[in-house]
Amino acid sequence: MSTFPRRTFLKTSTAAMATVALGLPGSRNLSAQDASPQSPPRDWPELPGLPKGWRSIRKLDAHNHVMQGVHKPGADWSAVERTVEAAQVLGITKLFCSRPLTGGVMAPIEAVRDANDSVLAAMKRYPGLIEGYCFVQPGNGREALDEIDRCINLGMIGIKLYNQFKYNDPAVYPIAEKCIDVKIPFLGHSAYLTDPKIKATQPKTSNALEFGELATRYPDLLLILGHINGGGDWEWAIRTLRDFPSVYLDTSGSVLEDDAIGLCVRELGHHRLLFATDQTMEGGVGKILGADLTDEQREDIFSRNFQRILDRRSK
Amino acid sequence: MIVDVNTFLGQYPFRQVRCTTAAAMIDHMEAHGITAALVGSLHAVFYRDAQRGNEELLEAIHPYPDRLFPIGTVNPLYAGWERDLRWLTEKGNVRAIALMPEHHGYRLTDDHGQAALKQIADTRLPVVLTQRLEDRRQRHHWDVAADLTQDDLVAVATAHPTLRMLLINWVGLNAEKLRAAGLRGRCLIDFARLGVVGTKDVPRLIEVLGPESIAFGSHMPFDYVTASLVKLANVAGLYADDFERIAWKNAQSFFGLPLPLKG
């Protein structure tokens, strides 16, 4: 058996993103000359099975997360740093992140603000790379709307809802109306769960039909069905979305099944698809590279479709 | 050169998959720069008599002896499985033996599983353990197979100290536990569901189990091959010295694949 030098994990400088040092004794290091937020490593070998220059294609990750509470002094930033490193390596230009409260918890507004403060801290630490979604719970009522105002005024670009309420619940309507008023996207956690045990653990997760009901009520809402491959029957979700043409969907999730992206394009058209990873970063990039797409379609999905959504607010 | 250790051939009962023939699989591999693959039979997973699936697989890949290398599948609950195992080893020229306990109705740790693992160890072929074929959250209501667990994996690794293992489509592996179970040097793990950057599953496994423990795997035809190719591209950038081992040499030595493979 060969002796392999002990490897430390990739470590990112916590200073500006222009300086990145990946400590991998005995292996290739990514240096400031290799990469910056806008320039992935230039001299890494190409593989014949991937499109040439794939790392340099502009990519906006429309669904990602700040995985830790990082806004308090002495916070552990390692999970955020790993996400940032991965983005650099993969040529992801911007990460649109939220920090939802999960587990079916309906938390007080203070906990919601605390979660959003971590996203704001990450935006401050990685300006130009990390952008924010404001997480809200409709059950917080007026305070949820105030939290949207606070976060948008501090530079966030949209809102993220998790599974505290079904999206066809009237409690969600004021949130949707707020999004229309300020022209921001509404990204929602989704799944059509077929496993009864898993479904029982998140009974208020919305499926594509419930997204459709919200979209029908609010045709001007910039509604994004989160992670088409985030678990659940994605074929059912895609078929359902045919009937709701105003709903966008993001491509993220840990399921990397062929030919999910191709089916989305054939059934829904590529303009409704937004590249995203939801932390499955290599696979998330890889499945867009592997789908049967024209170069123009691929670039639209990687960045232009979402950019058009972001640009609506400035018009 | 790339060798893919995580591929299947055949139809899947619960959703449409592409590349269900050997010829289509070869075309798909060539389009993605993959030279050779270890391939298991999906039909052997779902037929009552797994051996019929093995026979179909061997016939299907016969035209591609230097590209597609068979993995046999045995069901230790079915009549004649020991005879099938001998035939696969002596006549079928398979490179490994797969067990699918969840689909065939036993556990790795029960008497059936233990008997199969012992006999596979006696053949000196590796056993192939697939944690899952697809995500439980989208399962068909006839699909009741649970994911294999690391606890069972560790238990059988400890109980069969000479048995080599190909672990495909796993996630959440604890490298220290695998090492404690004596798997360093006798397991090969594919990264179809693991991360090189981001989650950094692969660096952790390399650190503890060595670069000889990692191999390229795509989970074809279920998954996009390019998802794993992106990970391999990151291996090429970050682990240049070990790239060829992970891309193909580990698989070649683990399974004794004949040289030269055409690159």
Side-chain angles (χ1 to χ4, degrees), chain B residues 17 47 93 115 170 173 181 192 226:
Chain B
V17 292
Y47 288 173
N93 198 31
W170 283 74
L173 290 170
T226 43

Side-chain angles (χ1 to χ4, degrees), chain B residues 128-147:
Chain B
V128 182
L129 299 176
T130 307
Q131 186 176 33
R132 71 185 192 191
L133 291 176
E134 70 169 349
D135 194 299
R136 315 310 319 147
R137 294 170 293 181
Q138 66 188 44
R139 71 177 184 84
H140 190 283
H141 68 278
W142 279 9
D143 180 4
V144 296
D147 292 2

Side-chain angles (χ1 to χ4, degrees), chain A residues 134 136-139 141-142 144-146 148-149 152 158-161 165-188 210-224 246-247:
Chain A
C134 176
V136 287
Q137 302 172 131
R142 179 69 237 175
L145 301 178
D146 292 344
I148 294 174
D149 284 334
I152 298 302
I159 65 137
K160 170 70 191 287
L161 261 64
F165 288 81
K166 291 268 192 183
Y167 300 158
N168 57 0
D169 188 316
V172 176
Y173 297 166
I175 305 289
E177 291 163 8
K178 182 76 172 178
C179 290
I180 294 168
D181 285 347
V182 293
K183 298 182 180 176
I184 56 174
F186 174 129
L187 170 62
E210 290 147 352
F211 274 76
E213 290 173 22
L214 185 63
T216 301
R217 183 177 181 88
Y218 296 107
D220 294 332
L221 179 63
L222 293 167
L223 182 57
I224 303 169
S246 70
V247 181

Side-chain angles (χ1 to χ4, degrees), chain A residues 4 6-7 9-10 27-28 55 82 85 89 194-195 230 232 254 256-259 261 282 286 290 292, chain B residues 15 18 137-139 195-198 200 204 206-207 211-212 222-224 226 233-234 237-239 242:
Chain A
F4 188 69
R6 176 179 171 78
R7 299 187 187 279
F9 296 156
L10 305 179
S27 70
R28 180 77 165 78
R55 292 185 199 270
R82 287 196 295 272
E85 286 171 355
V89 165
T194 60
D195 185 299
S254 59
L256 303 172
E257 287 181 345
D258 180 308
D259 180 36
I261 303 303
E282 292 163 309
D292 295 328
Chain B
R15 77 171 178 90
R18 303 192 290 183
R137 294 170 293 181
Q138 66 188 44
R139 71 177 184 84
V196 176
V197 299
K200 296 183 182 172
R204 289 189 186 95
I206 288 175
E207 183 179 13
E212 66 272 21
F222 292 94
D223 289 357
Y224 282 108
T226 43
N234 290 339
L238 292 166
Y239 292 89
D242 297 315

